[in-house]
Amino acid sequence: MKLNKEKFLKTEFGSELHTTIRALDFYLCEKRKLSINEENKVLDNDIRVLFAEWRIYQLALKQFYCIGYHFSRTDSYYGICTDDGDWLFKEERYYGR
């Protein structure tokens, strides 16, 4: 099956994948701001759940489209891409705006 990225991201599956990755990146950014305490344990659990959800999406993309996507993030962006840099989606960070 051929993946049309724009159409895929408009599906319920693609939209939920995008929401999961956005949440995962948000929680990872929040974790950097916290010290070790009880709130951090809750955040760690939320991050584990989101990574588990991402793994399901990752397996489904591999199964149905034969494409191995990976979660990628830096200080300037986050998103989903293949090893050769083909992005399913990439979100730029705009600090200070």
Side-chain angles (χ1 to χ4, degrees), residues 31-41 44:
K31 183 176 169 67
R32 280 194 307 195
K33 298 175 187 176
L34 299 175
S35 61
I36 298 174
N37 59 27
E38 187 63 33
E39 186 176 354
N40 204 9
K41 289 180 184 180
D44 284 344

Side-chain angles (χ1 to χ4, degrees), residues 28-63:
L28 289 170
C29 288
E30 289 299 304
K31 183 176 169 67
R32 280 194 307 195
K33 298 175 187 176
L34 299 175
S35 61
I36 298 174
N37 59 27
E38 187 63 33
E39 186 176 354
N40 204 9
K41 289 180 184 180
V42 171
L43 192 55
D44 284 344
N45 187 57
D46 291 340
I47 290 169
R48 276 193 296 279
V49 168
L50 288 166
F51 268 118
E53 289 178 16
W54 158 236
R55 182 69 179 139
I56 299 301
Y57 287 113
Q58 189 179 33
L59 290 169
L61 287 165
K62 182 72 171 176
Q63 178 71 34

